[in-house]
């Protein structure tokens, strides 16, 4: 009997006390200066590359178990993008960490100045389920490159990926400064009760508000990667086949619409809508066959709750009769076919909520320019897309539409450009990362001014006189001739 009890595994509870101990331990390790060294950063980034190279099959399998994600999407959109981020950081790290020399002014002459990028400290990264490896490890790359200690909390909604992330991080990365904590609401809450030097959260606005409220208690800076209703405008007179294919790639080719930058709804003119729908029908059948529910190139819906949510959007009375293509669903295998809906009412649920799935409503306008007001009447999206050959319309789109990022004549591809910041605005998020922006988001830009003891001007010290006031005014805001005039007492103060 005693032997049987001894054989039972002890359940480890991660509560607020455990979270507090974790932060204390990592804070001590960060204070030792270990993570600040260039050698440590490079070693961890190289190990991250090895993690991706040596475990590609395991990562692809975990993504298949969680999302039925096609192998191409797993290897290209998750693993390859991660490896590119690692390689860029390794290549540019010496340049990124080098202090930036800046000019000084006459008020501090003689002096020199620089901006030093220093790590923030111990940071918390809470990632999402839809791209569980990319959205977990890409921010970690930036945090490591900047010299921080890191705690990663993967999403419990993709359990196979979460478990594998813990296993691989423990094997490849320095566990004294980089930790993965699995769990759900209780564990996340325990982590958020602690004081961090920065929190990066990827997910939805509802949880984002909770994260900000928890962070506010400690005045912790927060980086939010959220989403929103990303619009795609389709003008007339474009290459219709290429347009249709690129929208399909950005919608159903990105985790079957379960991506924050996937087109959420489409806007076109009443005159062009029928032609556009016919092109979609043709290309969708070409890509996914006559029965898309059997296609191996479409991810499934992540779980039954999300399947039910999407079904509710589709079955609303004012929406169900608007389906012009697709609509098929398989509740057992959690699959929903690519679905087009034409002329959906603006007051329907599907036009109020972020869809995050394979449904694409089409909104019709009389003139394509009306699209901008329609988009701006809602919250600011994470991404906005326009297909047109009209130069004036492109310029108007970039100026008029406020979004995290905009793309003309394609969808989603800006994510793969490391020289562009990736992030939201307003309710679609705050902060940006990717490439050097990842390094910057986890760094403090420290102002440093160097002076010697020469050139100590008595003008700054009491007793104050009208001549000193006049000279200080021109030193702070005047030109060289103003300074000369003040030195000789010429002119008025």
């Amino acid at each position: 009997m005693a032997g049987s009890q001894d054989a039972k595994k002890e359940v480890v509870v991660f509560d607020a006390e455990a979270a507090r101990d974790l932060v204390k331990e990592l804070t001590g390790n960060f204070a030792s200066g270990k993570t600040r060294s260039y050698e440590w950063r490079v070693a961890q980034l190289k190990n991250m590359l090895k993690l991706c190279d040596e475990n590609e099959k395991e990562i692809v399998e975990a993504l298949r178990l969680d999302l039925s994600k096609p192998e191409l999407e797993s290897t290209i959109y998750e693993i390859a993008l991660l490896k590119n981020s690692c390689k860029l950081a390794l290549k540019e790290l010496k340049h990124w960490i080098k202090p930036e020399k800046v000019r000084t002014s006459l008020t501090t002459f003689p002096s020199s100045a620089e901006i030093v990028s220093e790590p923030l400290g111990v940071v918390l990264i809470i990632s999402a389920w839809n791209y569980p490896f990319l959205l977990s490890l890409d921010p970690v790359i930036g945090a490591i490159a900047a010299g921080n200690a890191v705690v990663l909390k993967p999403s419990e909604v993709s359990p196979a990926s979460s478990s594998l992330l813990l296993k691989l991080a423990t094997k490849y990365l320095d566990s004294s400064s980089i930790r993965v904590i699995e769990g759900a609401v209780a564990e996340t809450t325990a982590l958020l009760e602690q004081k961090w030097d920065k929190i990066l959260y990827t997910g939805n606005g509802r949880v984002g508000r909770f994260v900000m409220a928890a962070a506010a208690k400690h005045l912790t800076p927060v980086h939010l990667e959220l989403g929103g209703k990303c619009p795609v405008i389709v003008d007339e007179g474009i290459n219709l086949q290429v347009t249709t294919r690129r929208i399909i790639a950005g919608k159903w080719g990105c985790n079957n619409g379960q991506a924050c930058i996937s087109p959420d709804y489409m806007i076109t003119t009443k005159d062009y809508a029928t032609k556009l729908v016919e092109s979609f029908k043709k290309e969708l059948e070409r890509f996914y066959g006559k029965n898309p529910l059997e296609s191996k190139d479409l991810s499934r819906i992540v779980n039954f709750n999300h399947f039910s949510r999407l079904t509710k959007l589709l079955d609303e009375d004012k929406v169900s009769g608007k389906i012009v293509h697709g609509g098929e669903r398989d509740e057992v295998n959690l699959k929903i076919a690519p679905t087009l809906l034409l002329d959906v009412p603006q007051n329907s649920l599907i036009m109020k909520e972020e869809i995050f799935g394979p449904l694409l409503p089409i909104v019709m306008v009389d003139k394509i320019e009306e699209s901008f007001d329609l988009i701006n009447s809602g919250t600011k999206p994470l991404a906005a897309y326009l297909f047109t050959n009209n130069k004036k319309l492109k310029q108007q789109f970039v100026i008029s539409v406020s979004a995290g990022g905009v793309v003309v004549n394609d969808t989603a591809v800006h994510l793969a450009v490391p020289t562009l910041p990736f992030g939201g605005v307003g309710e679609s998020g705050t902060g940006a990362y990717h490439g050097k922006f990842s390094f910057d988001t986890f760094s403090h830009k420290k102002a440093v001014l160097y002076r010697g003891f020469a050139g100590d001007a008595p003008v700054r010290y009491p007793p104050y006189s009208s001549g000193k006031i006049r000279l200080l005014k021109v030193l702070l805001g005047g030109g060289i001739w103003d300074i000369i005039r003040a030195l000789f007492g010429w002119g008025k103060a």
Side-chain angles (χ1 to χ4, degrees), residues 36 41 116-120 146 148 439 442-446:
R36 290 174 177 262
R41 303 185 206 194
V116 174
S117 294
E118 66 176 7
L120 294 171
N148 298 279
F439 175 86
F442 289 108
S443 298
H444 165 59
K445 302 300 181 183
K446 183 163 62 178

Side-chain angles (χ1 to χ4, degrees), residues 26 29-31 33-38 40-42 44-45 93 97 117-123 140-150 177-178 438-439 442-443:
L26 292 184
N29 291 334
F30 173 77
K34 180 180 185 180
T35 65
R36 290 174 177 262
S37 79
Y38 173 76
W40 183 87
R41 303 185 206 194
V42 168
Q44 300 313 303
L45 292 171
L93 188 56
I97 64 177
S117 294
E118 66 176 7
L120 294 171
V122 183
V123 301
V140 171
I141 290 168
I144 290 172
N148 298 279
V150 189
S177 303
I178 304 167
S438 293
F439 175 86
F442 289 108
S443 298

Side-chain angles (χ1 to χ4, degrees), residues 222-431:
V222 177
H223 179 140
L224 297 177
E225 290 292 335
L226 306 177
K229 297 188 73 63
C230 301
V232 52
I233 304 168
V234 181
D235 191 17
E236 299 180 29
I238 40 89
N239 185 320
L240 187 52
Q241 184 183 42
V242 171
T243 295
T244 306
R245 287 171 168 242
R246 289 179 179 178
I247 294 173
I248 291 172
K251 177 69 173 178
W252 297 282
C254 284
N255 205 25
N256 204 6
Q258 298 171 109
C260 55
I261 55 171
S262 286
D264 189 273
Y265 64 102
M266 190 157 51
I267 307 172
T268 194
T269 60
K270 293 175 182 177
D271 294 335
Y272 204 58
T274 302
K275 193 175 182 180
L276 185 61
V277 168
E278 289 307 310
S279 180
F280 267 98
K281 289 180 180 180
K282 183 179 178 181
E283 297 302 323
L284 283 168
E285 184 175 326
R286 191 194 307 269
F287 291 167
Y288 303 116
K290 291 185 180 294
N291 187 358
L293 295 180
E294 295 179 358
S295 173
K296 294 180 180 179
D297 295 322
L298 277 174
S299 300
R300 66 168 168 80
I301 308 306
V302 66
N303 58 29
F304 184 74
N305 288 339
H306 280 276
F307 183 91
S308 299
R309 177 184 63 80
L310 290 165
T311 299
K312 181 182 176 183
L313 296 180
L314 207 51
D315 288 345
E316 188 182 7
D317 288 342
K318 61 183 79 173
V319 169
S320 58
K322 303 293 185 177
I323 298 173
V324 291
H325 183 76
E328 302 88 0
R329 60 197 91 163
D330 178 352
E331 186 174 321
V332 175
N333 295 305
L334 301 179
K335 289 232 176 176
I336 298 177
T339 302
L340 295 170
L341 304 101
L342 184 61
D343 196 23
V344 174
Q346 285 294 316
N347 62 353
S348 59
L349 285 174
I350 203 169
M351 290 306 297
K352 290 180 179 179
E353 300 178 9
E354 182 181 6
I355 296 168
F356 221 72
L359 319 178
L360 185 61
I362 302 171
V363 177
M364 295 186 292
V365 292
D366 292 319
K367 295 181 179 180
I368 205 68
E369 289 80 7
E370 296 172 17
S371 313
F372 304 147
D373 288 337
L374 182 62
I375 294 168
N376 291 332
S377 66
T379 58
K380 297 177 180 181
L382 183 60
Y385 308 111
L386 168 68
F387 287 83
T388 186
N389 283 319
N390 186 320
K391 185 178 179 181
K392 186 178 178 182
L393 194 67
K394 292 176 188 178
Q395 294 171 340
Q396 189 180 351
F397 172 68
V398 172
I399 293 169
S400 303
V401 174
S402 180
V406 299
V407 182
V408 176
N409 292 335
D410 211 330
T411 62
V413 291
H414 62 302
L415 182 78
V417 182
T419 51
L420 288 175
F422 179 76
V425 59
E427 291 193 25
S428 60
T430 177

